[in-house]
């Protein structure tokens, strides 16, 4: 299955003007069954506005999406029905039974798929890692475990950057001027004493 990943917008104004193609990463066709079939990075938490572009891409690949379930922890408003291209998708929710970071899609008589939902405000580098990890058929992680791993990676990266900043501020990592001659070695020996005549 091909992945449709559009580059993240650089500003909020660009986001409003960007094409409506979803930021989506899917596991390859024929890969071993995994807990996740890919990842979706919506541009907002407005499920009614985000679902039509997602189903427009997935309907031809997976069959007509007829039902979607979410966890309400991530979506402030959950519409019961969302009109999409040529049909309506029924939307349901489960609080305890469904991973908060997962979207379940059902296609009538075809199958079901689970997508990691990357929060809209996620940094682009973290979102890219999450989307690649969720689409990797060798991983057997739940959506929440991937989110926890991404948070750990971000903490480690930020700690490394903080250490480097301190190192740089204390004189470490000084750039060396290639054109400058090498420093002369220090002399560490006793100078011979001159004898004075009598």
């Amino acid at each position: 299955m091909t992945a449709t990943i559009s580059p993240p917008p650089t500003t909020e104004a660009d986001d409003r003007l960007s094409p409506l193609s979803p930021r989506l990463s899917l596991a390859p066709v024929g890969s071993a069954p995994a807990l996740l079939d890919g990842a979706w990075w919506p541009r907002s938490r407005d499920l009614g506005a985000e679902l039509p572009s997602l189903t427009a891409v997935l309907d031809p690949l997976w069959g007509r999406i007829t039902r979607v379930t979410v966890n309400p922890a991530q979506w402030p408003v959950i519409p019961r029905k969302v009109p999409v291209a040529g049909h309506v998708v029924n939307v349901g929710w489960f609080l305890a039974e469904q991973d908060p970071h997962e979207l379940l899609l059902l296609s009538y008589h075809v199958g079901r798929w689970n997508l990691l939902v990357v929060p809209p405000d996620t940094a682009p580098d973290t979102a890219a890692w999450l989307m690649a990890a969720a689409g990797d058929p060798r991983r057997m992680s739940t959506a929440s475990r991937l989110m926890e791993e991404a948070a750990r990676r971000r903490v480690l990266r930020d700690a490394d950057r903080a250490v480097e900043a301190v190192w740089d501020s204390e004189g470490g990592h000084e750039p060396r001027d290639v054109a400058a001659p090498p420093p002369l070695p220090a002399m560490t020996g006793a100078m011979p004493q001159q004898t004075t005549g009598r």
Side-chain angles (χ1 to χ4, degrees):
M1 198 165 291
T2 55
T4 307
I5 303 174
S6 57
T10 54
T11 66
E12 190 175 322
D14 290 341
D15 195 23
R16 285 185 303 240
L17 301 173
S18 66
L20 296 177
S21 63
R23 300 178 292 188
L24 181 65
S25 174
L26 303 175
V29 172
S31 59
L35 295 177
L36 294 170
D37 298 293
W40 174 45
W41 187 18
R43 289 178 170 81
S44 74
R45 292 193 186 274
D46 183 348
L47 194 58
E50 297 289 341
L51 266 181
S53 62
L54 179 65
T55 59
V57 171
L58 295 180
D59 279 357
L61 298 173
W62 291 349
R64 180 178 280 197
I65 304 299
T66 56
R67 184 165 178 78
V68 169
T69 65
V70 297
N71 186 306
Q74 301 298 321
W75 303 97
V77 176
I78 301 172
R80 294 185 48 78
K81 296 180 182 293
V82 175
V84 298
H87 67 286
V88 172
V89 173
N90 294 306
V91 181
W93 59 270
F94 296 98
L95 189 59
E97 299 88 350
Q98 187 164 344
D99 188 311
H101 300 285
E102 191 173 284
L103 176 79
L104 170 66
L105 301 118
L106 299 161
S107 180
Y108 188 64
H109 288 303
V110 179
R112 73 175 256 173
W113 299 271
N114 298 316
L115 295 179
L116 164 72
V117 178
V118 179
D121 56 352
T122 303
D125 58 337
T126 301
W129 182 85
L130 282 165
M131 293 179 81
D136 184 349
R138 297 167 298 185
R139 283 189 171 269
M140 293 303 288
S141 295
T142 65
S144 284
R145 280 198 199 122
L146 284 179
M147 293 298 292
E148 289 166 6
E149 190 175 341
R152 273 193 305 275
R153 291 169 58 91
R154 187 173 52 250
V155 167
L156 290 173
R157 184 192 64 221
D158 291 347
D160 285 346
R161 287 181 181 163
V163 168
E164 286 178 14
V166 168
W167 177 262
D168 288 343
S169 71
E170 292 177 349
H173 294 293
E174 286 187 278
R176 185 170 168 219
D177 185 4
V178 179
L184 295 174
M187 300 292 285
T188 58
M191 295 289 290
Q193 292 185 355
Q194 285 186 337
T195 56
T196 56
R198 292 189 189 198

